[in-house]
Amino acid sequence: MRIDLYANWSNVRQATVTDLPDDLPREEIVKRSHEAMDTSRYPAHTAAVRTDEGAPLLFVYRDGRVRNPQ
C-alpha cells in the first residue's frame, strides 16, 4: 500500500510514502496520511491511499474528510 500526496485538486503528485503494510486498520491509515501531509516538503492538501498497483482505496483530506473512491 502507498500514500500519494497532492497539493490541491490537480493531478500533480508531490510525494509518495511507500512500504505500508496492507493490513493497517482504517484509523491508522488516516493517521499516517495526515502525518505524511504534515511532514511533506510542500503543503499537501490530499492523500490518496492506493494499492501497490495504483488502485485507489481511500482519499484523506487535510480538513479531516475521508472518502472511499467512487
Side-chain angles (χ1 to χ4, degrees), residues 1-58:
M1 184 170 25
R2 72 179 199 228
I3 300 172
D4 292 332
L5 300 177
Y6 296 90
N8 53 31
W9 301 107
S10 71
N11 289 326
V12 179
R13 185 175 59 212
Q14 294 181 299
T16 299
V17 178
T18 58
D19 298 329
L20 296 172
D22 290 335
D23 60 349
L24 284 177
R26 182 180 172 110
E27 296 80 19
E28 183 66 19
I29 293 170
V30 171
K31 177 185 166 206
R32 290 190 186 197
S33 296
H34 280 289
E35 288 172 356
M37 284 189 279
D38 291 341
T39 59
S40 175
R41 180 176 174 186
Y42 303 102
H45 178 276
T46 306
V49 181
R50 302 180 188 279
T51 64
D52 290 331
E53 294 77 29
L57 299 172
L58 198 64

